[in-house]
Amino acid sequence: ELGCARQSFVMTGKTSVGSLEATSPPNPAHPVSTPQDKLKEEEEAKGLEVIFGIHSVLSALMSGRREITKLLIKKREDEAIENVDSNQERLEEIIQKANQIGIRIEEVHPTTLSNLCKMSPHQGVALIVGKLPEPISLESLPAEGEEVNQLKVSSSSFWLALDDIQDPVNLGSIIRSSSFFGTVNGIVLTEKSAPLSPVTSKSSAGALEFAQLYSTSNLPKFLIQSKENGWKVFGADSEKGSKSIPHVDLNEITLDSPTILVIGNEGKGLRRFVKKSCSSLISIGRGENAPLGLDSLNAAVATAVLINRLTSTKKGSK
């Protein structure tokens, strides 16, 4: 786990570092408010939250989409230089970026940092920030040649629509995969989607801080109107379709028009009316030697596989 090397602050000479110490664990019979409890209460009252982890913190500093209050670094105990964490270069980058934009840096006790991050793995660094802007609401996606939020729709446009993905880890992983492949232009969320929380940011490896997110209050209507505007809509589903909603083999698909891939809820899959709003259904074939009963993939893993498979079939792609 990453700690804060004191010499880094001496080397930069640009900032003074405060200290927030942890207190001894209180007696359960006589609860005592600790400094970290008070800090958490103060930040929550201001509508702020604590994001954590090297990638999330650095991405938040670089994206400029949040109000940033304070950078917290874990206080390092005296130890030999050869034991400095391998992530030290990234920590130095974070400190340098925070200095550049005038963010206050505070060194805190390891227990304090763990409590502020609700015992989640934080890699020795956290950022007290405002919430991300709410996703832009959309009623549909426009026809080819028109624009969505200054992004022109083309035959290669590829979007995700997430039907009530409620696990923040899954949501973060899906956003990470979307960013990794670089082929997803936007992600549409429903009202019951997992919140854009610190856990979501951490699970996305910071990709949440840059992601183009949108929302819709009525996903079936959104999909139907988008189809009328020339979009193909593929629903990820393990069933084999029906007379009204055909199942298409992934190997037979070539994308030559704007496309939406719809991913269903982790436990229930696509809702009935969402499924009916799709042009076609697609699925990932199970391997011949897969154990009995193992008939599907985690939503985030399936999304990554489908993004890669579908976008590699774009007309003219190699």
Side-chain angles (χ1 to χ4, degrees):
E1 185 181 50
L2 176 62
C4 168
R6 293 180 186 274
Q7 63 268 26
S8 64
F9 298 103
V10 176
M11 288 163 54
T12 62
K14 295 180 181 179
T15 183
S16 60
V17 181
S19 177
L20 180 61
E21 298 294 340
T23 60
S24 299
N27 186 331
H30 303 283
V32 176
S33 180
T34 64
Q36 55 265 33
D37 289 334
K38 292 178 181 179
L39 182 57
K40 272 198 281 190
E41 291 172 2
E42 290 173 4
E43 305 311 339
E44 289 173 358
K46 296 175 184 176
L48 303 178
E49 58 189 15
V50 180
I51 61 173
F52 46 87
I54 291 288
H55 296 295
S56 294
V57 168
L58 184 56
S59 294
L61 290 169
M62 295 178 66
S63 70
R65 297 173 67 184
R66 295 180 186 259
E67 174 191 351
I68 301 175
T69 300
K70 189 188 308 180
L71 174 64
L72 303 177
I73 304 291
K74 188 187 82 169
K75 180 181 292 185
R76 177 180 285 280
E77 304 297 334
D78 293 334
E79 56 184 273
I81 189 67
E82 60 265 21
N83 291 329
V84 172
D85 194 281
S86 59
N87 278 326
Q88 183 66 23
E89 288 186 10
R90 304 306 298 272
L91 178 58
E92 294 287 353
E93 187 178 355
I94 287 171
I95 293 170
Q96 183 180 19
K97 184 63 179 178
N99 282 329
Q100 287 176 354
I101 59 181
I103 301 302
R104 177 183 169 191
I105 302 175
E106 190 167 296
E107 197 175 32
V108 299
H109 191 280
T111 301
T112 298
L113 193 57
S114 293
N115 287 341
L116 287 171
C117 299
K118 299 180 180 179
M119 308 310 291
S120 298
H122 50 67
Q123 298 177 292
V125 62
L127 202 61
I128 298 178
V129 297
K131 296 182 183 300
L132 282 169
E134 288 294 319
I136 298 172
S137 179
L138 295 177
E139 292 185 1
S140 65
L141 291 176
E144 190 173 338
E146 299 183 22
E147 292 187 351
V148 183
N149 195 27
Q150 301 182 337
L151 180 66
K152 192 171 184 179
V153 175
S154 70
S155 60
S156 62
S157 294
F158 187 86
W159 284 56
L160 289 182
L162 306 182
D163 186 19
D164 293 355
I165 295 293
Q166 296 176 333
D167 182 341
V169 174
N170 272 336
L171 178 58
S173 297
I174 289 171
I175 293 171
R176 178 177 184 172
S177 298
S178 302
S179 300
F180 175 80
F181 290 113
T183 52
V184 177
N185 303 117
I187 301 175
V188 179
L189 308 175
T190 57
E191 293 180 331
K192 293 183 179 180
S193 289
L196 306 181
S197 67
V199 172
T200 305
S201 184
K202 180 67 163 61
S203 300
S204 75
L208 173 64
E209 306 302 319
F210 294 96
Q212 297 299 310
L213 301 179
Y214 301 83
S215 67
T216 182
S217 59
N218 190 326
L219 184 55
K221 183 178 179 181
F222 170 88
L223 297 175
I224 291 170
Q225 292 184 355
S226 297
K227 284 196 301 183
E228 293 173 353
N229 291 334
W231 289 72
K232 286 183 179 178
V233 180
F234 293 104
D237 191 79
S238 58
E239 297 179 5
K240 294 299 181 183
S242 64
K243 292 182 180 179
S244 58
I245 318 168
H247 183 278
V248 180
D249 190 317
L250 274 174
N251 297 320
E252 298 177 359
I253 297 175
T254 298
L255 299 187
D256 54 6
S257 60
T259 301
I260 302 171
L261 170 62
V262 191
I263 303 295
N265 173 271
E266 297 92 339
K268 301 177 182 178
L270 296 174
R271 289 176 291 164
R272 183 164 59 94
F273 288 111
V274 171
K275 188 183 295 188
K276 284 186 175 182
S277 305
C278 295
S279 311
S280 313
L281 299 179
I282 56 176
S283 61
I284 301 169
R286 190 180 72 143
E288 292 182 2
N289 297 321
L292 292 176
L294 187 61
D295 55 3
S296 64
L297 293 172
N298 166 277
V301 174
T303 303
V305 172
L306 290 171
I307 290 174
N308 189 39
R309 288 287 299 275
L310 287 172
T311 56
S312 66
T313 68
K314 285 180 182 178
K315 198 171 182 178
S317 65
K318 295 181 180 180

